[in-house]
Amino acid sequence: MTKHFLFALGQVMSTPHALALAAKRQIDLWVLLHRHQTGDWGDLCEEDRVSNEEALVTDARILSSYQIGQDKIWIITEADRSFTTILLPDDY
């Protein structure tokens, strides 16, 4: 089953720390971006999942969080959908 994109990513950027972790752990960031854009928010609490669902309608910021071993990678798409940033929580 093919999942449809729920929103535009805009320009995609990443912090150096997120790129380094992805290289070290051999993580395909395109896979995480696809999950984010198709509504697989990763490891979020229910409240944050509901916020993301509402953001699809209200054009608010969307956050996904993916647990990678003991590390996390966040993906944030801005409310105006102009930018999506891949980062580590410490980069925020």
Side-chain angles (χ1 to χ4, degrees):
M1 180 176 181
T2 303
K3 292 189 174 187
H4 299 315
F5 296 139
L6 300 175
F7 55 92
L9 295 174
Q11 183 177 350
V12 177
M13 300 175 291
S14 179
T15 65
H17 293 123
L19 290 174
L21 178 65
K24 178 181 174 184
R25 297 287 188 102
Q26 298 180 344
I27 300 163
D28 186 341
L29 294 177
W30 291 112
V31 170
L32 294 184
L33 280 168
H34 184 266
R35 289 176 61 186
H36 174 71
Q37 196 175 26
T38 58
D40 175 355
W41 314 125
D43 305 297
L44 292 181
C45 67
E46 187 61 25
E47 182 180 342
D48 289 340
R49 289 177 181 280
V50 169
S51 291
N52 279 351
E53 296 296 326
E54 291 172 358
L56 294 173
V57 178
T58 63
D59 294 330
R61 188 176 75 163
I62 298 172
L63 164 72
S64 293
S65 178
Y66 304 101
Q67 191 73 38
I68 310 294
Q70 294 184 1
D71 299 303
K72 286 184 183 180
I73 291 181
W74 285 356
I75 300 179
I76 299 173
T77 298
E78 297 303 324
D80 66 1
R81 309 298 187 252
S82 62
F83 291 98
T84 295
T85 306
I86 303 166
L87 66 157
L88 303 183
D90 289 344
D91 294 329
Y92 190 71

